[in-house]
Amino acid sequence: LGTGLGHLGLLVKPARHIDYHDIDGFPDEARPMAGHSFQAAVGTIDDVPVVVYPGRIHLYQGYSAMEITSLVRHAHHLGCRDIIFACATGSVPGNASTGLGILTDQINLTGRNPLAEWDEIREVETPFVGMTDAYTPYLRTLARGVADDLGITVEEGVFAGVMGPCFEPPAEVAMLRGMDVSYTGFSTALEVILAHALGMNVLGMTLASNESGDPKMSHQSVLEAAERHADDFERLVRGVLRLL
């Protein structure tokens, strides 16, 4: 779960909690940013077994691709085969609006890739992994159907993962628009790569809290937007979970 979206973890009827620092590969010195929590909840939501990770670390904090994707490896080790990534993003003007979105594909502009360190990932046989349909088509269709049934406005589009932490200047926004990118953010791209390489079914959902390039954008505005959309986000995720 991304910035400001960790409240979903409060829905879990927990069997146990796991401190992130007890997860293999997660950095001992990491501390959560505002809007994140570093305690995974294992249990159920509406009687569906889940593991919820209500926060993440980022490249811009100085962590490696392997450290960032340690939670994905942990989820796979626990037996998870369907994984939902939620992230706060900026919408690219002209290609998407602010609000909730379903990710259809991605462009990794971070310059990093967890598969470049593939010899440390026992479950991955080769780093040469095709990325077609990395965002699993049937899960995207499932989420779209749930949104339509519940009357929740949801757009769809391509996600661009960037390093951060500064927000995009106008020239970068223009570049992203020309690349048919709808959403851009500081997370998710590396996690999706590893989840797909591990054979997991991936659903990417975003809250576009601001337009990219908006001079008024701040970390606080992201948190405030997440709060405004919290109810629809919760209803959408719970609807998807019931159908898995």
Side-chain angles (χ1 to χ4, degrees):
L1 298 171
T3 300
L5 301 174
H7 60 85
L8 193 68
L10 300 177
L11 300 177
V12 180
K13 182 179 179 182
R16 62 176 297 198
H17 288 95
I18 302 173
D19 189 295
Y20 280 17
H21 299 95
D22 293 331
I23 293 174
D24 185 41
F26 191 84
D28 291 336
E29 72 279 8
R31 296 296 177 265
M33 301 281 289
H36 292 253
S37 171
F38 281 179
Q39 189 172 70
V42 183
T44 59
I45 294 178
D46 300 330
D47 297 323
V48 179
V50 296
V51 184
V52 176
Y53 301 88
R56 51 163 58 99
I57 55 177
H58 305 81
L59 283 173
Y60 66 75
Q61 295 172 281
Y63 300 112
S64 70
M66 285 293 290
E67 289 173 322
I68 286 168
T69 55
S70 60
L71 303 183
V72 176
R73 299 197 306 277
H74 184 253
H76 184 266
H77 178 73
L78 292 182
C80 299
R81 293 301 177 263
D82 298 307
I83 190 163
I84 301 173
F85 294 108
C87 56
T89 60
S91 63
V92 178
N95 291 351
S97 307
T98 57
L100 297 178
I102 298 169
L103 306 184
T104 60
D105 203 348
Q106 70 176 30
I107 301 174
N108 177 17
L109 298 177
T110 67
R112 308 287 182 82
N113 190 315
L115 298 182
E117 305 169 50
W118 76 280
D119 56 331
E120 297 182 37
I121 312 172
R122 294 185 299 274
E123 300 87 350
V124 176
E125 294 182 3
T126 173
F128 303 108
V129 175
M131 290 300 294
T132 300
D133 291 334
Y135 293 88
T136 308
Y138 91 84
L139 287 182
R140 288 166 19 211
T141 301
L142 198 70
R144 165 55 63 189
V146 169
D148 291 346
D149 289 345
L150 295 176
I152 299 172
T153 300
V154 177
E155 297 186 10
E156 300 183 34
V158 174
F159 169 76
V162 297
M163 171 76 79
C166 57
F167 298 116
E168 301 77 25
E172 289 184 7
V173 175
M175 177 193 72
L176 294 170
R177 185 185 302 114
M179 296 169 68
D180 290 329
V181 168
S182 295
Y183 306 103
T184 181
F186 306 150
S187 66
T188 304
L190 304 188
E191 295 153 303
V192 168
I193 288 171
L194 185 59
H196 183 64
L198 290 169
M200 303 175 82
N201 302 310
V202 173
L203 175 62
M205 296 198 301
T206 186
L207 166 60
S209 55
N210 305 80
E211 286 190 347
S212 294
D214 181 353
K216 301 184 183 68
M217 188 156 61
S218 67
H219 191 72
Q220 183 59 36
S221 71
V222 173
L223 295 174
E224 291 170 357
E227 186 174 347
R228 290 195 300 272
H229 291 273
D231 182 62
D232 281 346
F233 173 71
E234 178 182 314
R235 292 194 299 135
L236 182 56
V237 172
R238 294 177 82 163
V240 170
L241 288 177
R242 294 187 190 105
L243 296 176
L244 290 179

